[in-house]
């Protein structure tokens, strides 16, 4: 059973930066996909960025050039560095895990494992 535990988040002014972390455990796959989703009340989860076991990344158009997804060398920790934050970035950020690979446009249905998600608040 894959377990995901996030940390980070918080409140920041527009233009500021935050870093989210997600520690993954309980998996033995060499091929996998990890991603960050953003959720706001009443809306579907929106995929922000994903990274596969080889380090290939996919970003939502709205965050390209401002957000960076990465993983630790031991593959157990996923990061999302968010810069130049805009008020519309507020929400709950969920870490997700799937295998064997990422898929462009697949959405939340690709991921069977989810974390609880830290809150991100961006004030204007």
């Amino acid at each position: 059973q894959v377990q995901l535990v996030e940390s980070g988040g918080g409140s920041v002014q527009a233009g500021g930066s935050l870093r989210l972390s997600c520690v993954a455990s309980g998996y033995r796959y060499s091929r996998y996909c990890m991603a960050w989703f953003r959720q706001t009340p009443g809306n579907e989860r929106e995929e922000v960025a994903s990274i596969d076991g080889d380090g290939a990344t996919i970003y939502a158009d709205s965050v390209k050039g401002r957000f960076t997804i990465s993983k630790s060398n031991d593959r157990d920790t996923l990061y999302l560095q968010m810069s130049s934050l805009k008020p519309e970035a507020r929400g709950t950020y969920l870490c997700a895990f799937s295998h064997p690979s990422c898929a462009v446009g697949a959405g939340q249905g690709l991921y069977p494992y989810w974390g609880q998600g830290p809150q991100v608040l961006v004030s204007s």
Side-chain angles (χ1 to χ4, degrees):
Q1 181 77 6
V2 178
Q3 294 184 321
L4 304 170
V5 179
E6 298 107 327
S7 61
S11 183
V12 66
Q13 287 191 326
S17 299
L18 284 174
R19 189 176 83 158
L20 307 179
S21 300
C22 172
V23 178
S25 61
Y27 74 98
R28 297 182 182 275
Y29 312 109
S30 60
R31 298 183 62 203
Y32 60 88
C33 180
M34 295 186 73
W36 289 99
F37 281 74
R38 183 178 73 93
Q39 186 164 31
T40 53
N43 295 307
E44 288 191 2
R45 294 171 180 173
E46 173 192 8
E47 188 165 352
V48 176
S50 64
I51 186 168
D52 68 15
D54 294 325
T57 57
I58 302 171
Y59 291 95
D61 288 342
S62 60
V63 305
K64 284 180 180 177
R66 298 185 298 113
F67 289 15
T68 302
I69 189 170
S70 61
K71 55 186 177 66
S72 59
N73 289 336
D74 60 7
R75 310 184 308 153
D76 288 344
T77 305
L78 179 72
Y79 302 102
L80 183 67
Q81 178 67 46
M82 304 184 290
S83 302
S84 302
L85 280 162
K86 301 177 182 179
E88 53 264 39
R90 65 185 299 167
T92 300
Y93 281 73
L94 304 167
C95 176
F97 183 98
S98 180
H99 70 95
S101 59
C102 299
V104 176
Q108 60 181 338
L110 181 68
Y111 301 89
Y113 303 105
W114 294 87
Q116 295 296 317
Q119 292 284 327
V120 171
L121 300 174
V122 183
S123 58
S124 57

